[in-house]
Amino acid sequence: MYARIVKSRRKSYRKLYIIALVSVVYGVFEYFIMRSLGYSDIIYLDMLHSLIDGLMSFLTGLAIYLSLKRSSKRFPWGLYKVENLVTLVIALFTLYVVVEFLRDFFSSMSHGDSVETSPLYTPIVLALGSIVSYTAYRVERKIALSTRSESVLSDATHAKTDTILGISSAALVYIEILLKIPAIRYIVIVTIALYILRDIYNLLRDSISALIDASPDERFVERIIRDIERYSRLRVRNILLKKTGSFVTGVIEVKMDPETTLREAEYIVKRVRRYLYRKYPELVNIIIKPSIGIGLEWRSYMPPRGFEPLTAR
């Protein structure tokens, strides 16, 4: 099972790169449509949205690629946080562009500039964008099922929401053009802008929390403790996990019987770590630390010589 997941991951990150490329190409297509057929505020925002979608798909593919790379002497913990640094820079730049756009947009409204209905091509371009989003959703959902990747599943859910947003926006703009009610354009622009700002907020939150070594979700940690205790029949004494890129790393201390030998402890550590890696693909560089309980006093066993507790997947 695990070998099949790894094989699927080797194929999947290339597919995610293709999805990212398609999203970026579609954003460029929207830019040239505006240059050729006339400017549209809605298409401009949708272009930014397409570029953000491409970024998210690329970073998800990068995360899977990094999970397959071996650590090096210079970077023994891997390069997982490269994803967070790239996300932080691009998210801040996109935030600046969106805020400047909204400032100019509301400034023109306050000055009483003439309001015109959207260009005729707008609903067609939005509908095409929803087709691109739906295709991305189908591909990413299939990848998520084969790789068991939570980040890919999250990206697929995002693409599904994009599809609904694109169809709804296209319908509203069509009504605006048909009934000649320019006010509907404001509703669509504000909706898309808020949706983009929500994406930027999520990107900033995830990247910053990973860069400052924040703990993962509490329910995720509790699920790991429950699974370890059910699988090994040992009690988890302490668990310290932190985010790194789209992955989670850390130290898990398990309580063992005082009569446990070093070889037995080594065997248990290997089995528990292998079990966690197979069940949770988002875990990397996990250290399982055996602790031997003697009354109220505790001491930790060091692994035998030749055994490497830190294993990068």
Side-chain angles (χ1 to χ4, degrees):
M1 170 65 77
Y2 181 67
R4 188 163 68 246
I5 292 175
V6 172
K7 185 178 179 180
S8 298
R9 286 188 157 220
R10 290 197 178 104
K11 295 179 180 178
S12 63
Y13 75 85
R14 296 184 180 91
K15 295 179 181 178
L16 289 169
Y17 287 162
I18 293 174
I19 292 174
L21 180 62
V22 170
S23 296
V24 172
V25 168
Y26 189 76
V28 174
F29 165 75
E30 290 178 309
Y31 171 77
F32 282 108
I33 284 289
M34 286 190 296
R35 291 289 300 270
S36 304
L37 302 179
Y39 178 77
S40 170
D41 294 330
I42 296 175
I43 298 302
Y44 179 80
L45 278 178
D46 196 59
M47 177 191 70
L48 292 177
H49 191 202
S50 297
L51 296 177
I52 292 177
D53 289 344
L55 165 68
M56 294 177 69
S57 296
F58 171 77
L59 292 175
T60 304
L62 178 64
I64 293 179
Y65 173 76
L66 291 176
S67 71
L68 300 171
K69 296 287 287 182
R70 295 281 182 180
S71 58
S72 62
K73 291 182 179 180
R74 185 172 177 80
F75 302 101
W77 292 94
L79 296 169
Y80 302 106
K81 290 191 176 182
V82 170
E83 173 191 353
N84 304 123
L85 291 172
V86 174
T87 301
L88 183 63
V89 172
I90 297 180
L92 289 173
F93 175 75
T94 309
L95 177 63
Y96 169 77
V97 173
V98 173
V99 169
E100 283 295 306
F101 168 82
L102 291 176
R103 185 178 65 83
D104 294 340
F105 177 74
F106 288 114
S107 176
S108 64
M109 286 180 57
S110 63
H111 286 86
D113 294 349
S114 59
V115 179
E116 299 178 355
T117 55
S118 301
L120 294 175
Y121 69 84
T122 305
I124 299 175
V125 174
L126 291 174
L128 289 175
S130 65
I131 294 174
V132 174
S133 298
Y134 181 72
T135 304
Y137 160 69
R138 294 296 300 269
V139 174
E140 289 176 339
R141 184 174 182 274
K142 187 176 180 180
I143 292 173
L145 293 176
S146 62
T147 61
R148 295 188 180 182
S149 173
E150 292 291 334
S151 58
V152 179
L153 183 60
S154 175
D155 208 32
T157 305
H158 176 83
K160 183 179 180 180
T161 309
D162 287 348
T163 304
I164 298 173
L165 178 66
I167 294 174
S168 304
S169 299
L172 285 173
V173 173
Y174 179 76
I175 294 173
E176 174 211 351
I177 296 173
L178 189 66
L179 301 180
K180 298 187 183 303
I181 306 177
I184 297 179
R185 184 165 66 99
Y186 295 142
I187 299 175
V188 177
I189 288 174
V190 172
T191 302
I192 296 177
L194 289 176
Y195 192 74
I196 294 175
L197 290 174
R198 191 201 68 167
D199 287 345
I200 293 173
Y201 166 76
N202 290 333
L203 291 172
L204 290 174
R205 180 196 60 194
D206 294 341
S207 60
I208 293 174
S209 62
L211 287 172
I212 62 177
D213 295 337
S215 299
D217 182 69
E218 186 176 347
R219 289 172 297 180
F220 176 76
V221 177
E222 291 175 352
R223 193 164 72 247
I224 289 179
I225 294 174
R226 192 163 54 248
D227 287 339
I228 291 176
E229 293 182 343
R230 184 184 300 117
Y231 174 76
S232 65
R233 297 184 181 180
L234 299 173
R235 186 170 67 85
V236 175
R237 180 172 179 262
N238 193 19
I239 181 169
L240 298 172
L241 299 179
K242 65 177 183 178
K243 293 181 179 179
T244 175
S246 295
F247 301 94
V248 175
T249 185
V251 180
I252 302 174
E253 190 172 2
V254 294
K255 178 181 177 181
M256 293 187 182
D257 188 270
E259 303 299 324
T260 304
T261 65
L262 288 176
R263 290 299 171 188
E264 290 172 340
E266 176 188 3
Y267 175 77
I268 293 172
V269 165
K270 286 183 177 180
R271 289 291 300 272
V272 171
R273 186 170 51 233
R274 188 181 301 118
Y275 167 75
L276 290 176
Y277 282 165
R278 290 181 175 180
K279 183 159 186 178
Y280 298 94
E282 59 267 45
L283 293 181
V284 293
N285 296 332
I286 292 295
I287 298 176
I288 306 296
K289 181 180 177 183
S291 290
I292 307 302
I294 305 176
L296 297 178
E297 298 181 359
W298 289 85
R299 60 188 175 90
S300 297
Y301 267 161
M302 293 298 292
R305 177 172 296 181
F307 172 63
E308 181 62 41
L310 178 59
T311 304
R313 289 174 42 246

